[in-house]
Amino acid sequence: MAKTLHSGRVQALSGSARVPGDKSISHRALMLGALAVGESVVGGLLEGDDVLRTAACMRALGAEITRHEDGRWHLFGRGVGGLSEPADLLDMGNSGTGARLLMGLVATHPFTSFFTGDASLRSRPMRRVTEPLARMGARFFTRDGGRLPLAVVGTASPLPISYELPVASAQVKSALLLAGLNTPGETTVIEREATRDHTELMLRNFGADVRVEATESGGRAITVTGFPELTGRQFEVPADPSSAAFPTVAALLVEGSEIVLPGVGINPLRTGLYQTLREMGADLRYENRRDQAGEPVADLRVRASRLKGIDVPAERAPSMIDEYPILAVAASFAEGTTRMRGLAELRVKESDRLAAMARGLAACGVVVEEEADALIVHGKGRAPRGDALIATRFDHRIAMAFLVLGMAAERPVAIDEAEAIDTSFPGFVALMNGLGAAIGSTDADAV
């Protein structure tokens, strides 16, 4: 039985609220803490289902991980190459990031692991990561189409490789770099377009030898040297810019709003949405800039703004791939047409996000065009009708995006399978309602 939520039009949003810790960094903190020598202490870890699955899997691989009452996580690692064969399935739930990165981690350990996940994750392609890892010596046994459930037979004699990513993917890059930790020599990943670099930054923070060099074609070559001695660290996880995107856009759309979101990560490879919103006319400012665990952070101050449609450069997609659903909502209120291109990757996320956004926006009265790798939203400079029940297909970002739309639409918007939100943003409803939103349950259950 799926949980249904509705969101209705509200007065100005106001106040300050900290969104949960960065999901990408939280996954990596658990994995690298499990490989480090000594104790790591991590504050601000995202405690959504995706990250908790990674924590459970790292325990199954031999790491000692505990959460203390003060909310800080303590990890005692096994050292590079020290993970042990899990006694049971590694169930990644809905987490594509956790699954792909963890495959890289175990691929160069000499034991067999079995991966599974929920129905959504089992439908997602894994060949993009299994094929380069197979070049390093690992073997994979998968369902048709390279999908989960699958078995990883790790190699006892891994081979370093130099691999050029066919498409921009921080997940594939990170999987190969993690595999390279337990591989002799140097493992290099070449990317034509820069993707989020949390893995490189965190590897350095733990003591690994990582080089990043520009290529002649304008891309980047990232090289990790095998068998480093990683040392336990203590750090705070920045607030997640992808999660901050939802209250940010809500405050832009609801007239008279002004909110502050403290401690948000502003890594330039993650802030394409904020650059785009500014180009659309958003009053969005970074205040109190500082560094946190090697990552730049700032407090975001957001004021309600009149937005205009723009053409979003396709090359910006890697820096905002998870934020297109909420950008499409912002575009539906803007004056004029917003064209978003280079979005083929959205077809293979938790759902086909391109199709889901096009269907949902149309149901809310927005004029929208869907192309193979593009979404074109024709805004009219006023609130869309709303008045729709959106099928989220258990996609947390689709769910949150349409709840935001409902806050400023003419009529309320409802979403099904609202429990999906907890995979990345536990406490989303309470946080938004604390700022002035009106999100609540409809019927106790929905079909």
Side-chain angles (χ1 to χ4, degrees):
M1 303 289 282
K3 180 180 180 182
T4 301
L5 292 176
H6 69 268
S7 176
R9 193 180 184 95
V10 295
Q11 301 299 316
L13 304 179
S14 63
S16 175
R18 190 185 192 280
V19 302
D22 188 287
K23 185 167 71 162
S24 296
I25 295 175
S26 294
H27 283 301
R28 290 158 172 81
L30 290 169
M31 293 182 190
L32 292 180
L35 295 180
V37 175
E39 182 183 23
S40 293
V41 181
V42 184
L45 194 84
L46 170 64
E47 296 185 5
D49 185 68
D50 282 8
V51 174
L52 296 180
R53 297 274 184 170
T54 293
C57 289
M58 298 320 299
R59 291 190 187 102
L61 291 162
E64 181 182 334
I65 303 176
T66 57
R67 183 192 185 278
H68 289 205
E69 290 183 0
D70 63 0
R72 302 181 77 77
W73 289 69
H74 293 247
L75 300 88
F76 292 89
R78 299 290 299 270
V80 171
L83 299 180
S84 55
E85 185 170 76
D88 206 343
L89 289 171
L90 299 176
D91 187 346
M92 302 309 302
N94 189 244
S95 179
T97 299
R100 292 184 176 115
L101 268 59
L102 195 54
M103 285 180 205
L105 206 60
V106 301
T108 51
H109 283 72
F111 54 71
T112 299
S113 309
F114 297 91
F115 284 73
T116 191
D118 66 11
S120 172
L121 187 60
R122 293 197 305 271
S123 71
R124 298 174 67 180
M126 295 293 161
R127 279 184 179 153
R128 62 177 59 184
V129 67
T130 61
E131 287 182 353
L133 289 172
R135 299 186 191 187
M136 301 181 75
R139 291 183 292 148
F140 296 86
F141 299 90
T142 74
R143 288 175 56 218
D144 184 52
R147 303 176 193 277
L148 272 62
L150 61 76
V152 183
V153 181
T155 175
S157 302
L159 301 172
I161 64 171
S162 179
Y163 182 75
E164 182 170 345
L165 298 175
V167 295
S169 172
Q171 293 179 358
V172 178
K173 172 180 68 175
S174 297
L176 294 174
L177 294 176
L178 292 173
L181 292 175
N182 198 39
T183 300
E186 296 185 338
T187 298
T188 299
V189 182
I190 301 166
E191 52 184 12
R192 301 170 200 165
E193 302 173 57
T195 64
R196 57 184 66 177
D197 60 353
H198 302 307
T199 300
E200 298 96 298
L201 293 174
M202 191 169 290
L203 280 170
R204 284 191 184 125
N205 190 44
F206 275 88
D209 179 8
V210 180
R211 297 196 316 274
V212 180
E213 301 169 317
T215 64
E216 292 182 359
S217 61
R220 304 193 315 160
I222 304 98
T223 300
V224 63
T225 302
F227 305 135
E229 181 163 313
L230 305 182
T231 305
R233 293 288 185 263
Q234 181 168 339
F235 59 91
E236 294 287 325
V237 176
D240 195 321
S242 296
S243 295
F246 298 98
T248 292
V249 170
L252 292 174
L253 300 182
V254 176
E255 186 175 351
S257 296
E258 180 174 354
I259 66 169
V260 176
L261 305 173
V264 176
I266 55 168
N267 184 308
L269 296 175
R270 289 288 302 280
T271 54
L273 172 71
Y274 300 105
Q275 180 181 352
T276 301
L277 289 173
R278 284 196 181 101
E279 291 171 3
M280 295 174 74
D283 185 348
L284 192 162
R285 303 179 188 179
Y286 296 156
E287 301 177 345
N288 189 22
R289 291 175 183 252
R290 56 205 183 272
D291 283 336
Q292 198 167 295
E295 294 274 355
V297 303
D299 303 333
L300 270 59
R301 183 175 297 275
V302 189
R303 294 185 177 93
S305 306
R306 298 280 298 178
L307 303 179
K308 64 180 186 298
I310 65 168
D311 288 350
V312 184
E315 58 269 21
R316 194 175 292 169
S319 69
M320 56 184 294
I321 195 65
D322 288 332
E323 284 76 71
Y324 281 102
I326 192 62
L327 176 61
V329 167
S332 70
F333 287 78
E335 179 69 48
T337 298
T338 299
R339 296 175 178 85
M340 296 163 271
R341 303 192 184 278
L343 309 187
E345 179 71 9
L346 295 185
R347 298 287 188 191
V348 291
K349 287 289 187 177
E350 283 82 341
S351 66
D352 181 341
R353 283 182 178 161
L354 252 181
M357 287 307 301
R359 284 193 301 266
L361 290 174
C364 291
V366 180
V367 178
V368 58
E369 300 173 57
E370 176 191 354
E371 298 178 356
D373 70 342
L375 191 66
I376 302 169
V377 178
H378 300 282
K380 297 181 179 179
R382 62 176 185 270
R385 182 190 68 239
D387 195 25
L389 172 61
I390 305 300
T392 68
R393 289 167 172 76
F394 209 75
D395 189 313
H396 52 124
R397 300 198 193 279
I398 298 297
M400 290 185 282
F402 280 100
L403 289 175
V404 168
L405 190 149
M407 295 176 202
E410 292 178 355
R411 302 174 200 166
V413 173
I415 57 117
D416 68 3
E417 297 184 319
E419 56 270 37
I421 293 170
D422 286 340
T423 65
S424 70
F425 201 150
F428 170 77
V429 172
L431 182 145
M432 294 304 304
N433 286 348
L435 294 172
I439 302 173
S441 298
T442 49
D443 300 325
D445 294 297
V447 296

